[in-house]
Amino acid sequence: MAQKHGTPAHAKRVFQGKIFEVWQWEQKMYDGSLQTFEKLKRPDTAQVLATVGNKILIQTEEQPDKQRSFPSIPGGRLDESEAPLAAAKRELLEETGYVSDDWVLWTAIQPVHKIEWTVHTYIARNCVKEKPVSLDAGEKIETRLVDFDEFMRVATEDSDFYSPEIVPDLLRMRLSPEQQQNFKNLLFGDL
Amino acid sequence: MAQKHGTPAHAKRVFQGKIFEVWQWEQKMYDGSLQTFEKLKRPDTAQVLATVGNKILIQTEEQPDKQRSFPSIPGGRLDESEAPLAAAKRELLEETGYVSDDWVLWTAIQPVHKIEWTVHTYIARNCVKEKPVSLDAGEKIETRLVDFDEFMRVATEDSDFYSPEIVPDLLRMRLSPEQQQNFKNLLFGDL
């Protein structure tokens, strides 16, 4: 388990923005002197590897401040006091219209040293389309189902893939046939 | 080349901390409405894959706010108006006492979507020890030379390795003998 990126209890919030909070504290150095240390907090995020039969749901997404579209998986920020799994279910339904009753937490990663921020990645098996998508004014998202090899290709070879924090684990699977088979079993069950 | 993470020209700085600046702007949504978008800027960093003969320099580092030591490579933040290569040379000298006259930029990566921050990774070949290390009050660093396989093991398998932004490229090399050989040639020259 990687070292946790946290702020000490005596840290003070010095700024609160729309997404980011800035926290500072006096940190004792190795020679006994003090320095002001700084870290950020931001809402955790939850994202979903959603499967339908032996296919994985992948998105082509646009955002208003980006020049071009990029591949992604469903996901987004947790609402205030929302649990990660609840956020994953909500984002999957909003962005794709799919639901599942078979969820498992695959990884929880803190991708950046100086930010208190955890990315929760869930696997949602046997998804079923329940209703049309309902996108925010700031979202343009198209979804499609791809097979495992195509998913791995997009996620590990397209440098615009929007979830870089899971790429090392996916690459490690390409190095280990056993790990890759276990991952496939997680994604698709007994298919 | 991955999409650049930048802020538009009309963005305004709303907070300046010790490391991070917070910037906001009014962004037009797809339905014509406006929302306040937010991004961060922080000083770019430069880090070094330093080689001596057929060995790579790796560090065991402690920081005052972390519970345990972690493996790292020499590097740090650019000083104000300092060029990336100058910062890489300065950090290598300060943290390890080594110099090189054979530098090449290996990668320049923006690791986080919402932060304007580039991590420059240089290769410094045929390093020579010039003087004793000179560490900050906030640094405890020990250096050692390891062979290529040991470097790859630490960098791609130890979850505490401090430069996660280069891990995907290192894993891709483990998948491609040809890429790995090219990388070794870059690191060690004609050895």
Side-chain angles (χ1 to χ4, degrees), chain B residues 81-101:
Chain B
S81 76
E82 187 180 34
L85 178 57
K89 290 180 175 180
R90 177 181 52 73
E91 291 284 354
L92 179 65
L93 185 60
E94 288 173 1
E95 293 188 354
T96 73
Y98 279 90
V99 296
S100 166
D101 58 8

Side-chain angles (χ1 to χ4, degrees), chain B residues 23-91:
Chain B
W23 290 69
Q24 293 180 345
W25 70 95
E26 294 303 298
Q27 176 70 50
K28 199 179 217 178
M29 300 289 99
Y30 294 117
D31 65 357
S33 63
L34 291 174
Q35 274 184 31
T36 303
F37 270 36
E38 185 173 88
K39 278 198 176 173
L40 303 169
K41 298 185 184 187
R42 53 154 294 165
D44 288 345
T45 45
Q47 58 191 10
V48 188
L49 295 170
T51 65
V52 179
N54 63 352
K55 298 283 171 68
I56 301 178
L57 198 151
I58 202 160
Q59 305 185 144
T60 300
E61 188 164 350
E62 290 176 53
Q63 289 180 355
D65 62 329
K66 298 206 168 48
Q67 304 97 332
R68 60 173 193 257
S69 63
F70 53 88
S72 68
I73 55 176
R77 292 198 286 275
L78 275 59
D79 288 338
E80 204 175 329
S81 76
E82 187 180 34
L85 178 57
K89 290 180 175 180
R90 177 181 52 73
E91 291 284 354

Side-chain angles (χ1 to χ4, degrees), chain A residues 10-154:
Chain A
H10 63 287
K12 290 204 170 68
R13 188 173 68 194
V14 294
F15 181 78
Q16 176 164 28
K18 291 278 171 184
I19 300 172
F20 291 98
E21 298 177 358
V22 184
W23 290 69
Q24 293 180 344
W25 70 94
E26 293 303 297
Q27 177 69 49
K28 199 180 216 177
M29 300 288 99
Y30 293 119
D31 65 357
S33 64
L34 291 174
Q35 274 185 29
T36 304
F37 270 36
E38 185 172 87
K39 278 198 176 175
L40 303 168
K41 298 185 185 187
R42 55 155 292 168
D44 288 345
T45 45
Q47 58 190 11
V48 187
L49 296 170
T51 65
V52 179
N54 63 352
K55 298 284 171 67
I56 301 177
L57 198 150
I58 202 160
Q59 305 185 146
T60 300
E61 188 163 351
E62 290 176 53
Q63 289 179 356
D65 62 329
K66 298 206 167 49
Q67 305 98 329
R68 61 172 191 258
S69 63
F70 53 88
S72 68
I73 54 175
R77 292 198 286 275
L78 275 59
D79 289 337
E80 205 176 328
S81 76
E82 186 180 36
L85 177 57
K89 291 179 175 180
R90 177 180 52 72
E91 291 284 353
L92 179 66
L93 184 61
E94 287 173 4
E95 293 188 355
T96 74
Y98 279 91
V99 296
S100 167
D101 58 8
D102 189 3
W103 289 80
V104 57
L105 177 64
W106 179 48
T107 58
I109 294 172
Q110 288 194 304
V112 188
H113 295 305
K114 291 186 190 302
I115 309 183
E116 213 174 289
W117 167 39
T118 300
V119 181
H120 306 265
T121 305
Y122 289 89
I123 292 171
R125 288 197 287 207
N126 297 310
C127 292
V128 177
K129 183 95 171 181
E130 188 177 87
K131 60 173 205 176
V133 301
S134 59
L135 298 177
D136 291 344
E139 292 177 321
K140 272 192 186 177
I141 300 174
E142 286 178 7
T143 64
R144 64 199 163 99
L145 293 167
V146 298
D147 65 19
F148 181 79
D149 290 344
E150 171 69 0
F151 168 74
M152 290 293 270
R153 194 193 62 71
V154 171

Side-chain angles (χ1 to χ4, degrees), chain A residues 18-20 38 156 172, chain B residues 18-20 38 156 172:
Chain A
K18 291 278 171 184
I19 300 172
F20 291 98
E38 185 172 87
T156 65
R172 284 186 190 101
Chain B
K18 292 278 170 183
I19 300 172
F20 291 98
E38 185 173 88
T156 65
R172 283 184 191 102

